[in-house]
Amino acid sequence: MKRKRASSPAPSGPVTLRPPGFVADRAEAAARVERLLRYEFHDRSLLEEALTHQSFAAASYQRLEFVGDAALGLAFSNFLYLTNPTVGPGALSTLRAANINTEKLARVAVRHDLYPLLRRNCPRLDLLAGQFIESVKEELEDDLGTTPYGGSDVKAPKVLADIVEAIAAAVYVDCKFNLEKLWKVTRFLFEPIITAETIDEQPVSMLHELCQKHGKDLEFKPRQKGGTTVVDVIVGGALVGMGSSKHMGIAKLNATRDALSKLLGGGSQQVLTTGVGHGEGHEVGELRECKQKLNEQCSRKHWPKPIFKLEKEDGPAHDRTFVYSVQVETPGASCVTIGDPMSRVKDAENSGAHKMLEYLLKL
């Protein structure tokens, strides 16, 4: 089903975010796409059309985006059907949507720096795209840059997904509607492709484990809002996450990632906080602050800096876990704790630090 196009409102107030760049040399813009795709267009005017927003000219990417939306849907349908012979139609539909929904395609545009290639004349569009681009780039510092969808506090603007669909359509039309050629040229753009094995195990399992560790009840409560499914994540009776999509599975995943980002990343609703003191009212806040808290405590007591060591790395590349130990040298003893398995190094280090803070409390 085609998504409705929302008109861009006028700018409200000054924009402090640095706007995304623009490649004024159109030959260079086209060459960048060809180098990226390793495909030389027979008709480069198709590519220029794909890189033109309706705010710049009437002959914009809208018609191509219409074709690209359908062509990518069919290409992924073929791929998922052939690679998942035992998966039913409902799950296949969810997998297809997960791979080509607006946020996934918007992240493709960010990863390959496509927005600066777009001809446009809309400051508000630059603001919305710029906010999302900066949000995704910040995730790179927290090992989230490869998250295919969900996980961002900023809503993905449709224009970024449109660019990807329009470029795909330009290839499709240029190669005389050869679907096999389209898939061969563009498939790498969508890596990592979301599979039946990776679609929900990691974030949902991580949230379950986190709640079990802290003795908190976890509930997923779906509801309908228009034609969209909204899932609320309730932890310990408090609403900590929310996600939406036309597909229940994706709504649950988006809600799960939203909940994890708040529970582990300093969101406003912290229901997993654990008090840890040492006669000084010292408290450990969110899990991600534990390493910092441990460093501060050691510094305050004039102890050597804690030593973090990777003890175990397990699992396939798409679902790897890490276990870290922490060693602290106190005046009377050498203390070592081992954290829980975590899917990210930073969380594994903080888990070890959390165990150490709990241990030091008992001394």
Side-chain angles (χ1 to χ4, degrees), residues 78-88 92 95 194-197:
N78 292 349
F79 171 76
L80 294 169
Y81 176 82
L82 293 172
T83 56
N84 297 274
T86 63
V87 175
L92 287 174
L95 278 173
I194 302 159
T195 67
E197 290 74 28

Side-chain angles (χ1 to χ4, degrees), residues 104-180:
K104 172 66 185 289
L105 296 183
R107 286 171 176 270
V108 170
V110 174
R111 188 179 309 123
H112 298 291
D113 201 25
L114 298 179
Y115 188 72
L117 307 181
L118 181 70
R119 295 193 299 175
R120 75 272 180 189
N121 184 22
C122 182
R124 179 63 174 172
L125 199 68
D126 284 347
L127 174 61
L128 295 175
Q131 287 175 333
F132 182 77
I133 291 169
E134 290 302 314
S135 174
V136 172
K137 286 181 178 179
E138 287 175 3
E139 292 174 4
L140 292 172
E141 300 177 0
D142 205 20
D143 302 325
L144 291 172
T146 56
T147 300
Y149 58 90
S152 174
D153 293 332
V154 180
K155 183 179 179 181
K158 186 175 179 295
V159 62
L160 293 174
D162 288 347
I163 297 170
V164 177
E165 291 176 337
I167 290 174
V171 173
Y172 188 48
V173 175
D174 192 67
C175 69
K176 307 301 181 185
F177 303 95
N178 185 328
L179 194 65
E180 183 178 354

